Amino acid sequence: MPDPAQAAPVQVAIVGMGTVGTGVARVLVENPERMARRSGRPVRLRHAVVRDLKKSRGLELAQGILTDDVQRVIRDSQVEIAVHLVGGIHPAREIMVDLLESGKDVVTANKALLCEHGDELFALARTKGRTIAFEAAVAGGIPVIATVGQCLAANQINSIAAILNGTSNYILTQMIRENWPYAQALAKAQELGYAEEDPTLDIDGTDAAQKLVILTQLAFGVKARLADFPRKGIENLQLSDLKYADELGHTVKLLAVSRLVAGQLEIHVQPTLVRHHAPLAAIHGAFNAIALTGDVVGETLYSGPGAGQMPTASAVVADVIDTITGRTRLTFPRLEIWRDPAPYILQPIEKISSRFYLRFNVLDRPHVLADIADILGRNNISIASVIQHEAAQFDAPHTSSANGEKRTVPLVIMTHRTTVGNIQSAEQELGRLTSITPPHVRMSVAD
């Protein structure tokens, strides 16, 4: 067997030396023997592009590796693989285009870019005879891209149900475990580095939705835009909702779902009630999990750290090794992703069916429940159970009415299975009841 140490080194550049980029560089420079053994060739970090050359990164690199000039990488014909760790859309798109056109294979973790411009970038890579590896773009250290694209290739995936955002999962876990309000749990997540100073993309469901778009492309061959499917975050949930869900035998998770229903693709990201005994309900803290069902293998579950420096670096470096060994070159052209035409159409939002958790703040007076039940019934919504506690229980919000004689109390209703369209029609009528004070909470209930 040839000695890997005697082979010509592979020259690698990292574009973007943030948290993940630093982790990737650490793996490359601190494990040269492992990299050579797994790759079949020595791996050399040739350039690392940064914005601030003076910033300390806690990692010693050889003189001349750090640069703030991305063109240095693009112009260097000796660089075979570019690790693209630039976030956002611009200039990330332009940089990746330049890297591909300069003849480099690319490894990326940028889910937002692939969600928005994946079809264009994949087409360019194929035209140029290059590859794009993107395991780290979805679920950090969980190898779900390889699982769906390769390991489950004998299957038609029938359903994906996933926790794809560790920040939201950590917040929901802390709220119910520690009896914390949302704001306190978010602040703790920021303190620990799980949430950014501006956590919007994590808590409003965008981050999870972008990852789901990529998984949906890979599993079903359908390109869904973020505007094409329901997307709700956790920012409006209250501790009382998590406690009511618990009383009903469920845990609340920000769930990303993509599944085949009667030949159409149902897709959504939203807070969802998951039964306590379900595997996804046991995923706590900043962990991610993906439940996949294939027509051959049946149900499978994958769980692990979905973000963070070293878990994500693990996925990036694995892609680097696959690119060096030629595995990516074999699999990339055959990925069923960003190709036309799509084999399935998206299920209309109003046709999506589920059981639903509804919480209203209602005036504490007679006949309110009867009025609500009448409206639900006329819209083909059957009530499965009702919870109405005293206003003070669970620290639920309650207020005095204008005359000071009435107050609002929480009313929780669990429905039988119905459609989003029926719920929306009922909500229009419910909005006209003077006995209900907005806002109300609606969450789906997982099967």
Side-chain angles (χ1 to χ4, degrees):
M1 180 179 294
D3 183 357
Q6 302 303 314
V10 179
Q11 303 294 337
V12 175
I14 299 174
V15 181
M17 277 284 286
T19 300
V20 175
T22 301
V24 171
R26 186 180 302 281
V27 175
L28 295 182
V29 302
E30 293 184 356
N31 301 280
E33 292 183 3
R34 181 194 305 170
M35 292 299 301
R37 187 170 65 253
R38 304 281 169 82
S39 302
R41 296 167 61 186
V43 180
R44 300 285 183 266
L45 179 58
R46 187 172 176 86
H47 305 291
V49 181
V50 301
R51 283 185 294 184
D52 182 1
L53 289 170
K54 297 179 180 179
K55 181 180 177 180
S56 174
R57 288 170 173 79
L59 177 66
E60 289 295 328
L61 296 176
Q63 185 70 27
I65 288 181
L66 285 180
T67 177
D68 58 2
D69 181 11
V70 71
Q71 290 300 318
R72 184 171 158 189
V73 173
I74 294 166
R75 291 191 302 263
D76 190 341
S77 60
Q78 294 191 53
V79 173
E80 298 179 48
I81 300 172
V83 177
H84 177 280
L85 298 175
V86 182
I89 305 299
H90 301 289
R93 174 192 164 276
E94 291 77 10
I95 291 172
M96 188 180 290
V97 166
D98 288 344
L99 291 169
L100 292 169
E101 289 186 336
S102 67
K104 299 167 191 3
D105 292 315
V106 172
V107 173
T108 187
N110 190 328
K111 58 190 173 293
L113 180 61
L114 294 182
C115 180
E116 187 76 18
H117 294 290
D119 49 356
E120 169 202 357
L121 295 169
F122 271 52
L124 175 61
R126 288 176 173 131
T127 298
K128 296 295 182 180
R130 298 295 95 198
T131 63
I132 300 174
F134 55 101
E135 183 66 68
V138 179
I142 306 172
V144 66
I145 298 300
T147 296
V148 175
Q150 300 172 43
C151 304
L152 297 182
N155 294 259
Q156 169 58 62
I157 301 298
N158 290 322
S159 71
I160 300 169
I163 297 168
L164 294 175
N165 184 266
T167 300
S168 292
N169 203 53
Y170 173 83
I171 290 171
L172 292 173
T173 298
Q174 293 303 105
M175 286 176 69
I176 193 66
R177 278 186 174 179
E178 304 296 334
N179 204 39
W180 287 353
Y182 168 80
Q184 183 176 356
L186 171 59
K188 187 64 175 180
Q190 291 172 318
E191 177 187 331
L192 294 174
Y194 294 144
E196 302 288 343
E197 182 177 349
D198 179 0
T200 303
L201 296 181
D202 288 320
I203 63 173
D204 75 355
T206 299
D207 175 82
Q210 290 169 338
K211 296 170 182 174
L212 185 63
V213 165
I214 296 172
L215 284 179
T216 298
Q217 268 279 346
L218 193 59
F220 302 104
V222 175
K223 181 183 179 181
R225 300 171 304 169
L226 296 187
D228 292 337
F229 58 89
R231 171 171 47 95
K232 291 183 180 178
I234 66 169
E235 65 270 33
N236 294 321
L237 291 184
Q238 296 176 359
L239 177 59
S240 59
D241 293 309
L242 275 61
K243 290 188 173 183
Y244 283 124
D246 182 65
E247 185 175 342
L248 291 163
H250 293 74
T251 301
V252 178
K253 297 294 182 182
L254 182 64
L255 210 61
V257 172
S258 188
R259 63 184 176 183
L260 293 176
V261 177
Q264 296 181 334
L265 190 64
E266 173 189 323
I267 180 171
H268 44 81
V269 174
Q270 55 194 350
T272 303
L273 274 68
V274 180
R275 288 192 180 277
H276 284 329
H277 67 260
L280 288 175
I283 306 303
H284 302 302
F287 273 56
N288 283 191
I290 304 100
L292 300 173
T293 302
D295 62 351
V296 179
V297 71
E299 297 181 5
T300 60
L301 179 70
Y302 311 86
S303 178
Q309 182 184 58
M310 299 317 292
T312 308
S314 171
V316 170
V317 175
D319 274 345
V320 170
I321 293 171
D322 280 355
T323 302
I324 294 170
T325 60
R327 286 191 288 266
T328 304
R329 186 160 298 279
L330 290 173
T331 58
F332 178 73
R334 294 170 177 81
L335 287 177
E336 293 298 321
I337 189 165
W338 287 296
R339 292 184 184 273
D340 289 322
Y344 305 103
I345 64 171
L346 297 186
Q347 185 179 47
I349 294 173
E350 65 273 11
K351 298 294 185 182
I352 295 174
S353 69
S354 169
R355 298 173 68 208
F356 288 92
Y357 164 99
L358 307 173
R359 176 173 62 77
F360 303 98
N361 294 321
V362 302
L363 291 180
D364 190 11
R365 70 186 188 194
H367 213 271
V368 172
L369 177 57
D371 291 340
I372 294 174
D374 178 60
I375 290 174
L376 294 178
R378 285 192 282 104
N379 285 277
N380 297 311
I381 301 168
S382 175
I383 295 176
S385 61
V386 175
I387 298 176
Q388 186 169 15
H389 292 302
E390 292 294 330
Q393 188 160 346
F394 290 173
D395 295 322
H398 59 282
T399 59
S400 297
S401 63
N403 59 17
E405 297 177 357
K406 299 291 184 180
R407 63 179 180 177
T408 60
V409 294
L411 174 67
V412 173
I413 294 175
M414 184 79 89
T415 77
H416 289 295
R417 180 173 289 275
T418 188
T419 65
V420 170
N422 288 341
I423 289 288
Q424 290 174 334
S425 295
E427 287 174 334
Q428 290 183 1
E429 293 189 56
L430 290 167
R432 294 193 285 269
L433 288 181
T434 59
S435 56
I436 297 178
T437 62
H440 74 273
V441 174
R442 182 226 301 174
M443 289 187 282
S444 291
V445 181
D447 294 334

